[in-house]
mmCIF file of all heavy atoms in Angstrom:
data_model
loop_
_atom_site.group_PDB
_atom_site.id
_atom_site.type_symbol
_atom_site.label_atom_id
_atom_site.label_comp_id
_atom_site.label_asym_id
_atom_site.label_seq_id
_atom_site.Cartn_x
_atom_site.Cartn_y
_atom_site.Cartn_z
ATOM 1 N N LEU A 1 42.980 17.698 111.526
ATOM 2 C CA LEU A 1 43.049 19.112 111.537
ATOM 3 C C LEU A 1 41.973 19.795 112.412
ATOM 4 O O LEU A 1 42.119 21.004 112.891
ATOM 5 C CB LEU A 1 43.065 19.652 110.064
ATOM 6 C CG LEU A 1 44.306 19.705 109.312
ATOM 7 C CD1 LEU A 1 44.039 20.166 107.872
ATOM 8 C CD2 LEU A 1 45.257 20.585 110.026
ATOM 9 N N ILE A 2 40.842 19.135 112.519
ATOM 10 C CA ILE A 2 39.698 19.761 113.221
ATOM 11 C C ILE A 2 39.988 20.100 114.710
ATOM 12 O O ILE A 2 39.813 21.244 115.054
ATOM 13 C CB ILE A 2 38.463 18.874 113.117
ATOM 14 C CG1 ILE A 2 37.990 18.749 111.581
ATOM 15 C CG2 ILE A 2 37.220 19.329 113.912
ATOM 16 C CD1 ILE A 2 36.907 17.790 111.351
ATOM 17 N N PRO A 3 40.400 19.144 115.491
ATOM 18 C CA PRO A 3 40.764 19.501 116.893
ATOM 19 C C PRO A 3 42.059 20.305 116.858
ATOM 20 O O PRO A 3 42.157 21.213 117.913
ATOM 21 C CB PRO A 3 40.925 18.190 117.560
ATOM 22 C CG PRO A 3 41.258 17.225 116.514
ATOM 23 C CD PRO A 3 40.541 17.672 115.304
ATOM 24 N N THR A 4 42.912 20.092 115.998
ATOM 25 C CA THR A 4 44.190 20.879 115.975
ATOM 26 C C THR A 4 43.880 22.432 115.796
ATOM 27 O O THR A 4 44.411 23.208 116.495
ATOM 28 C CB THR A 4 45.169 20.343 114.915
ATOM 29 O OG1 THR A 4 45.307 18.999 115.146
ATOM 30 C CG2 THR A 4 46.458 21.229 114.972
ATOM 31 N N VAL A 5 43.083 22.678 114.814
ATOM 32 C CA VAL A 5 42.879 24.098 114.515
ATOM 33 C C VAL A 5 41.795 24.704 115.434
ATOM 34 O O VAL A 5 42.051 25.841 115.950
ATOM 35 C CB VAL A 5 42.232 24.167 113.044
ATOM 36 C CG1 VAL A 5 41.768 25.517 112.768
ATOM 37 C CG2 VAL A 5 43.403 23.723 112.121
ATOM 38 N N ALA A 6 40.671 23.977 115.754
ATOM 39 C CA ALA A 6 39.631 24.511 116.510
ATOM 40 C C ALA A 6 39.927 24.599 118.066
ATOM 41 O O ALA A 6 39.593 25.610 118.639
ATOM 42 C CB ALA A 6 38.344 23.782 116.331
ATOM 43 N N LEU A 7 40.698 23.692 118.543
ATOM 44 C CA LEU A 7 40.839 23.598 120.014
ATOM 45 C C LEU A 7 42.309 23.689 120.416
ATOM 46 O O LEU A 7 42.622 23.779 121.575
ATOM 47 C CB LEU A 7 40.255 22.350 120.521
ATOM 48 C CG LEU A 7 38.758 22.145 120.184
ATOM 49 C CD1 LEU A 7 38.274 20.684 120.620
ATOM 50 C CD2 LEU A 7 37.908 23.159 120.942
ATOM 51 N N GLY A 8 43.214 23.643 119.458
ATOM 52 C CA GLY A 8 44.632 23.616 119.783
ATOM 53 C C GLY A 8 45.134 22.293 120.417
ATOM 54 O O GLY A 8 46.097 22.228 121.023
ATOM 55 N N VAL A 9 44.391 21.171 120.166
ATOM 56 C CA VAL A 9 44.733 19.846 120.637
ATOM 57 C C VAL A 9 45.071 19.065 119.449
ATOM 58 O O VAL A 9 44.253 18.725 118.632
ATOM 59 C CB VAL A 9 43.651 19.202 121.425
ATOM 60 C CG1 VAL A 9 43.996 17.806 121.880
ATOM 61 C CG2 VAL A 9 43.289 20.110 122.677
ATOM 62 N N PRO A 10 46.320 18.532 119.204
ATOM 63 C CA PRO A 10 46.665 17.796 118.034
ATOM 64 C C PRO A 10 46.033 16.508 118.081
ATOM 65 O O PRO A 10 46.035 15.795 119.088
ATOM 66 C CB PRO A 10 48.253 17.797 118.143
ATOM 67 C CG PRO A 10 48.480 17.956 119.510
ATOM 68 C CD PRO A 10 47.485 18.905 120.156
ATOM 69 N N GLY A 11 45.613 16.040 116.987
ATOM 70 C CA GLY A 11 44.908 14.697 116.823
ATOM 71 C C GLY A 11 45.955 13.531 116.734
ATOM 72 O O GLY A 11 45.480 12.467 116.919
ATOM 73 N N GLY A 12 47.158 13.823 116.379
ATOM 74 C CA GLY A 12 48.151 12.765 116.292
ATOM 75 C C GLY A 12 49.524 13.413 116.253
ATOM 76 O O GLY A 12 49.634 14.545 116.526
ATOM 77 N N VAL A 13 50.504 12.543 116.017
ATOM 78 C CA VAL A 13 51.921 12.931 116.071
ATOM 79 C C VAL A 13 52.312 13.973 114.981
ATOM 80 O O VAL A 13 52.873 15.042 115.232
ATOM 81 C CB VAL A 13 52.823 11.706 115.915
ATOM 82 C CG1 VAL A 13 54.271 12.171 116.118
ATOM 83 C CG2 VAL A 13 52.414 10.604 116.797
ATOM 84 N N GLY A 14 51.746 13.827 113.763
ATOM 85 C CA GLY A 14 52.046 14.697 112.730
ATOM 86 C C GLY A 14 51.473 16.084 113.044
ATOM 87 O O GLY A 14 52.109 17.096 112.795
ATOM 88 N N MET A 15 50.249 16.064 113.520
ATOM 89 C CA MET A 15 49.676 17.326 113.890
ATOM 90 C C MET A 15 50.339 18.093 115.089
ATOM 91 O O MET A 15 50.434 19.269 115.213
ATOM 92 C CB MET A 15 48.201 17.153 114.242
ATOM 93 C CG MET A 15 47.177 16.788 112.983
ATOM 94 S SD MET A 15 47.236 17.957 111.791
ATOM 95 C CE MET A 15 48.050 17.124 110.373
ATOM 96 N N ALA A 16 50.941 17.246 115.930
ATOM 97 C CA ALA A 16 51.743 17.766 117.035
ATOM 98 C C ALA A 16 52.918 18.543 116.572
ATOM 99 O O ALA A 16 53.170 19.760 116.906
ATOM 100 C CB ALA A 16 52.219 16.713 117.975
ATOM 101 N N VAL A 17 53.549 17.978 115.527
ATOM 102 C CA VAL A 17 54.737 18.778 114.842
ATOM 103 C C VAL A 17 54.278 19.925 114.162
ATOM 104 O O VAL A 17 54.901 20.926 114.045
ATOM 105 C CB VAL A 17 55.553 17.757 114.111
ATOM 106 C CG1 VAL A 17 56.725 18.538 113.414
ATOM 107 C CG2 VAL A 17 55.926 16.632 114.775
ATOM 108 N N LEU A 18 53.007 19.701 113.467
ATOM 109 C CA LEU A 18 52.498 20.908 112.707
ATOM 110 C C LEU A 18 52.151 22.049 113.634
ATOM 111 O O LEU A 18 52.335 23.281 113.251
ATOM 112 C CB LEU A 18 51.220 20.471 111.972
ATOM 113 C CG LEU A 18 50.643 21.493 111.071
ATOM 114 C CD1 LEU A 18 51.533 21.749 109.845
ATOM 115 C CD2 LEU A 18 49.223 21.013 110.571
ATOM 116 N N MET A 19 51.731 21.694 114.884
ATOM 117 C CA MET A 19 51.520 22.749 115.869
ATOM 118 C C MET A 19 52.845 23.523 116.231
ATOM 119 O O MET A 19 52.786 24.672 116.580
ATOM 120 C CB MET A 19 50.800 22.211 117.107
ATOM 121 C CG MET A 19 49.330 22.139 116.975
ATOM 122 S SD MET A 19 48.544 21.608 118.537
ATOM 123 C CE MET A 19 48.818 23.088 119.513
ATOM 124 N N SER A 20 53.957 22.731 116.221
ATOM 125 C CA SER A 20 55.165 23.407 116.430
ATOM 126 C C SER A 20 55.392 24.472 115.311
ATOM 127 O O SER A 20 55.908 25.635 115.658
ATOM 128 C CB SER A 20 56.263 22.321 116.397
ATOM 129 O OG SER A 20 56.128 21.249 117.298
ATOM 130 N N GLY A 21 55.001 24.144 114.201
ATOM 131 C CA GLY A 21 55.182 25.016 113.026
ATOM 132 C C GLY A 21 54.198 26.260 113.369
ATOM 133 O O GLY A 21 54.722 27.420 113.052
ATOM 134 N N PHE A 22 53.067 26.031 113.824
ATOM 135 C CA PHE A 22 52.144 27.096 114.253
ATOM 136 C C PHE A 22 52.869 28.144 115.231
ATOM 137 O O PHE A 22 52.888 29.400 115.077
ATOM 138 C CB PHE A 22 50.864 26.596 114.905
ATOM 139 C CG PHE A 22 49.937 25.945 113.938
ATOM 140 C CD1 PHE A 22 48.826 25.244 114.531
ATOM 141 C CD2 PHE A 22 50.114 26.016 112.634
ATOM 142 C CE1 PHE A 22 48.025 24.555 113.671
ATOM 143 C CE2 PHE A 22 49.115 25.425 111.760
ATOM 144 C CZ PHE A 22 48.048 24.613 112.280
ATOM 145 N N THR A 23 53.632 27.606 116.193
ATOM 146 C CA THR A 23 54.233 28.311 117.189
ATOM 147 C C THR A 23 55.362 29.137 116.515
ATOM 148 O O THR A 23 55.561 30.338 116.788
ATOM 149 C CB THR A 23 54.892 27.370 118.265
ATOM 150 O OG1 THR A 23 53.910 26.633 118.836
ATOM 151 C CG2 THR A 23 55.563 28.272 119.385
ATOM 152 N N ILE A 24 56.140 28.563 115.610
ATOM 153 C CA ILE A 24 57.187 29.227 114.973
ATOM 154 C C ILE A 24 56.645 30.423 114.123
ATOM 155 O O ILE A 24 57.244 31.529 114.116
ATOM 156 C CB ILE A 24 57.943 28.332 114.109
ATOM 157 C CG1 ILE A 24 58.713 27.259 114.914
ATOM 158 C CG2 ILE A 24 58.988 28.985 113.119
ATOM 159 C CD1 ILE A 24 59.431 26.156 114.162
ATOM 160 N N LEU A 25 55.535 30.163 113.458
ATOM 161 C CA LEU A 25 54.928 31.210 112.677
ATOM 162 C C LEU A 25 54.005 32.305 113.422
ATOM 163 O O LEU A 25 53.511 33.209 112.797
ATOM 164 C CB LEU A 25 54.054 30.533 111.556
ATOM 165 C CG LEU A 25 54.821 29.604 110.620
ATOM 166 C CD1 LEU A 25 53.696 28.755 109.831
ATOM 167 C CD2 LEU A 25 55.599 30.396 109.761
ATOM 168 N N GLY A 26 53.909 31.964 114.728
ATOM 169 C CA GLY A 26 53.151 32.974 115.421
ATOM 170 C C GLY A 26 51.639 32.867 115.393
ATOM 171 O O GLY A 26 50.800 33.740 115.551
ATOM 172 N N VAL A 27 51.123 31.644 114.975
ATOM 173 C CA VAL A 27 49.683 31.353 114.790
ATOM 174 C C VAL A 27 49.289 30.568 116.069
ATOM 175 O O VAL A 27 49.814 29.575 116.500
ATOM 176 C CB VAL A 27 49.540 30.568 113.548
ATOM 177 C CG1 VAL A 27 47.984 30.099 113.485
ATOM 178 C CG2 VAL A 27 49.940 31.294 112.387
ATOM 179 N N VAL A 28 48.189 31.032 116.663
ATOM 180 C CA VAL A 28 47.662 30.430 117.904
ATOM 181 C C VAL A 28 46.455 29.766 117.546
ATOM 182 O O VAL A 28 45.380 30.363 117.156
ATOM 183 C CB VAL A 28 47.332 31.494 118.897
ATOM 184 C CG1 VAL A 28 46.802 30.821 120.221
ATOM 185 C CG2 VAL A 28 48.494 32.318 119.269
ATOM 186 N N PRO A 29 46.420 28.358 117.532
ATOM 187 C CA PRO A 29 45.170 27.666 117.376
ATOM 188 C C PRO A 29 43.948 27.951 118.179
ATOM 189 O O PRO A 29 44.158 28.505 119.341
ATOM 190 C CB PRO A 29 45.541 26.112 117.499
ATOM 191 C CG PRO A 29 47.034 26.072 117.468
ATOM 192 C CD PRO A 29 47.452 27.419 118.004
ATOM 193 N N GLY A 30 42.822 27.798 117.708
ATOM 194 C CA GLY A 30 41.624 28.191 118.483
ATOM 195 C C GLY A 30 40.888 29.347 117.936
ATOM 196 O O GLY A 30 40.943 29.629 116.750
ATOM 197 N N PRO A 31 40.238 30.048 118.737
ATOM 198 C CA PRO A 31 39.439 31.222 118.332
ATOM 199 C C PRO A 31 40.309 32.271 117.566
ATOM 200 O O PRO A 31 39.950 32.847 116.664
ATOM 201 C CB PRO A 31 38.923 31.878 119.758
ATOM 202 C CG PRO A 31 38.955 30.706 120.563
ATOM 203 C CD PRO A 31 40.014 29.786 120.252
ATOM 204 N N SER A 32 41.624 32.512 118.042
ATOM 205 C CA SER A 32 42.453 33.365 117.407
ATOM 206 C C SER A 32 42.754 32.906 115.991
ATOM 207 O O SER A 32 42.768 33.779 115.057
ATOM 208 C CB SER A 32 43.882 33.424 118.095
ATOM 209 O OG SER A 32 44.797 34.317 117.497
ATOM 210 N N MET A 33 42.950 31.630 115.689
ATOM 211 C CA MET A 33 43.235 31.229 114.278
ATOM 212 C C MET A 33 42.116 31.380 113.495
ATOM 213 O O MET A 33 42.148 31.745 112.260
ATOM 214 C CB MET A 33 43.775 29.865 114.415
ATOM 215 C CG MET A 33 44.285 29.345 112.967
ATOM 216 S SD MET A 33 45.151 27.770 113.136
ATOM 217 C CE MET A 33 45.755 27.582 111.435
ATOM 218 N N LEU A 34 40.812 31.036 114.000
ATOM 219 C CA LEU A 34 39.598 31.093 113.181
ATOM 220 C C LEU A 34 39.243 32.557 112.880
ATOM 221 O O LEU A 34 38.583 32.789 111.862
ATOM 222 C CB LEU A 34 38.516 30.352 113.960
ATOM 223 C CG LEU A 34 38.713 28.803 114.127
ATOM 224 C CD1 LEU A 34 37.517 28.259 114.906
ATOM 225 C CD2 LEU A 34 38.861 28.129 112.710
ATOM 226 N N ASN A 35 39.657 33.491 113.694
ATOM 227 C CA ASN A 35 39.431 34.787 113.516
ATOM 228 C C ASN A 35 40.431 35.560 112.585
ATOM 229 O O ASN A 35 40.059 36.389 111.787
ATOM 230 C CB ASN A 35 39.209 35.644 114.825
ATOM 231 C CG ASN A 35 37.985 35.209 115.576
ATOM 232 O OD1 ASN A 35 36.917 35.028 114.969
ATOM 233 N ND2 ASN A 35 38.047 35.171 116.928
ATOM 234 N N GLN A 36 41.700 35.266 112.848
ATOM 235 C CA GLN A 36 42.739 36.029 112.191
ATOM 236 C C GLN A 36 43.337 35.340 111.073
ATOM 237 O O GLN A 36 43.950 35.846 110.117
ATOM 238 C CB GLN A 36 43.896 36.374 113.187
ATOM 239 C CG GLN A 36 43.338 37.148 114.365
ATOM 240 C CD GLN A 36 44.429 37.427 115.428
ATOM 241 O OE1 GLN A 36 45.678 37.220 115.201
ATOM 242 N NE2 GLN A 36 44.031 37.729 116.673
ATOM 243 N N HIS A 37 43.206 33.910 111.009
ATOM 244 C CA HIS A 37 43.883 33.147 109.999
ATOM 245 C C HIS A 37 42.968 32.148 109.449
ATOM 246 O O HIS A 37 43.449 31.032 109.077
ATOM 247 C CB HIS A 37 45.157 32.469 110.551
ATOM 248 C CG HIS A 37 46.272 33.416 111.057
ATOM 249 N ND1 HIS A 37 47.096 34.072 110.172
ATOM 250 C CD2 HIS A 37 46.533 33.691 112.367
ATOM 251 C CE1 HIS A 37 47.908 34.842 111.005
ATOM 252 N NE2 HIS A 37 47.656 34.615 112.227
ATOM 253 N N LEU A 38 41.653 32.493 109.262
ATOM 254 C CA LEU A 38 40.717 31.537 108.649
ATOM 255 C C LEU A 38 41.052 31.203 107.249
ATOM 256 O O LEU A 38 40.844 30.065 106.786
ATOM 257 C CB LEU A 38 39.346 32.209 108.683
ATOM 258 C CG LEU A 38 38.210 31.170 108.212
ATOM 259 C CD1 LEU A 38 38.101 29.950 109.210
ATOM 260 C CD2 LEU A 38 36.932 31.924 108.285
ATOM 261 N N ASP A 39 41.801 32.141 106.597
ATOM 262 C CA ASP A 39 42.235 31.782 105.132
ATOM 263 C C ASP A 39 43.217 30.716 105.180
ATOM 264 O O ASP A 39 43.222 29.889 104.192
ATOM 265 C CB ASP A 39 42.777 33.095 104.559
ATOM 266 C CG ASP A 39 43.848 33.707 105.302
ATOM 267 O OD1 ASP A 39 43.937 33.464 106.537
ATOM 268 O OD2 ASP A 39 44.680 34.499 104.765
ATOM 269 N N ALA A 40 44.060 30.609 106.175
ATOM 270 C CA ALA A 40 45.103 29.537 106.313
ATOM 271 C C ALA A 40 44.432 28.238 106.421
ATOM 272 O O ALA A 40 44.919 27.205 106.055
ATOM 273 C CB ALA A 40 46.035 29.800 107.318
ATOM 274 N N VAL A 41 43.250 28.225 107.192
ATOM 275 C CA VAL A 41 42.604 26.960 107.374
ATOM 276 C C VAL A 41 42.066 26.379 106.058
ATOM 277 O O VAL A 41 42.218 25.156 105.756
ATOM 278 C CB VAL A 41 41.536 27.040 108.428
ATOM 279 C CG1 VAL A 41 40.634 25.786 108.614
ATOM 280 C CG2 VAL A 41 41.966 27.611 109.777
ATOM 281 N N PHE A 42 41.485 27.225 105.241
ATOM 282 C CA PHE A 42 41.018 26.763 104.032
ATOM 283 C C PHE A 42 42.097 26.464 103.041
ATOM 284 O O PHE A 42 42.025 25.484 102.279
ATOM 285 C CB PHE A 42 40.167 27.882 103.368
ATOM 286 C CG PHE A 42 38.675 28.016 104.019
ATOM 287 C CD1 PHE A 42 38.469 29.084 104.886
ATOM 288 C CD2 PHE A 42 37.757 27.051 103.772
ATOM 289 C CE1 PHE A 42 37.119 29.221 105.310
ATOM 290 C CE2 PHE A 42 36.470 27.239 104.372
ATOM 291 C CZ PHE A 42 36.203 28.288 105.160
ATOM 292 N N ALA A 43 43.173 27.098 103.206
ATOM 293 C CA ALA A 43 44.350 26.818 102.295
ATOM 294 C C ALA A 43 44.984 25.515 102.698
ATOM 295 O O ALA A 43 45.317 24.726 101.842
ATOM 296 C CB ALA A 43 45.422 27.949 102.471
ATOM 297 N N MET A 44 44.961 25.136 103.994
ATOM 298 C CA MET A 44 45.382 23.769 104.327
ATOM 299 C C MET A 44 44.611 22.668 103.945
ATOM 300 O O MET A 44 45.084 21.595 103.414
ATOM 301 C CB MET A 44 45.446 23.684 105.984
ATOM 302 C CG MET A 44 46.674 24.527 106.477
ATOM 303 S SD MET A 44 46.933 24.090 108.258
ATOM 304 C CE MET A 44 45.513 24.908 109.054
ATOM 305 N N ALA A 45 43.228 22.863 103.778
ATOM 306 C CA ALA A 45 42.430 21.841 103.184
ATOM 307 C C ALA A 45 42.691 21.655 101.720
ATOM 308 O O ALA A 45 42.698 20.594 101.223
ATOM 309 C CB ALA A 45 40.917 22.341 103.380
ATOM 310 N N LEU A 46 42.947 22.759 101.077
ATOM 311 C CA LEU A 46 43.354 22.687 99.550
ATOM 312 C C LEU A 46 44.713 21.970 99.393
ATOM 313 O O LEU A 46 44.918 21.365 98.526
ATOM 314 C CB LEU A 46 43.392 24.104 98.936
ATOM 315 C CG LEU A 46 43.621 24.159 97.462
ATOM 316 C CD1 LEU A 46 42.409 23.464 96.768
ATOM 317 C CD2 LEU A 46 43.623 25.607 96.963
ATOM 318 N N VAL A 47 45.690 22.315 100.326
ATOM 319 C CA VAL A 47 46.937 21.653 100.237
ATOM 320 C C VAL A 47 46.844 20.073 100.329
ATOM 321 O O VAL A 47 47.444 19.353 99.565
ATOM 322 C CB VAL A 47 47.850 22.153 101.428
ATOM 323 C CG1 VAL A 47 49.077 21.309 101.491
ATOM 324 C CG2 VAL A 47 48.188 23.602 101.094
ATOM 325 N N ILE A 48 45.996 19.572 101.250
ATOM 326 C CA ILE A 48 45.766 18.143 101.288
ATOM 327 C C ILE A 48 45.164 17.605 100.009
ATOM 328 O O ILE A 48 45.643 16.618 99.557
ATOM 329 C CB ILE A 48 44.784 17.903 102.519
ATOM 330 C CG1 ILE A 48 45.353 18.248 103.900
ATOM 331 C CG2 ILE A 48 44.400 16.383 102.566
ATOM 332 C CD1 ILE A 48 44.513 18.012 105.047
#
């Protein structure tokens, strides 16, 4: 999740598909996600 969220570069196949989900939801990984959807990042950690 670290390179996926912070840099928009998926770390593996599952994260690549998860990034497809980001696209569908209108979430842009990187600075935009850390500024506008930081709550989602913490929520994903809790989901795991």
Side-chain angles (χ1 to χ4, degrees):
L1 274 178
I2 296 173
T4 304
V5 168
L7 303 173
V9 176
V13 184
M15 291 298 116
V17 182
L18 186 67
M19 279 190 63
S20 305
F22 289 167
T23 303
I24 292 170
L25 297 170
V27 176
V28 181
S32 175
M33 186 170 189
L34 294 178
N35 290 323
Q36 300 175 18
H37 299 283
L38 185 59
D39 56 340
V41 179
F42 286 106
M44 286 192 289
L46 186 60
V47 168
I48 294 176

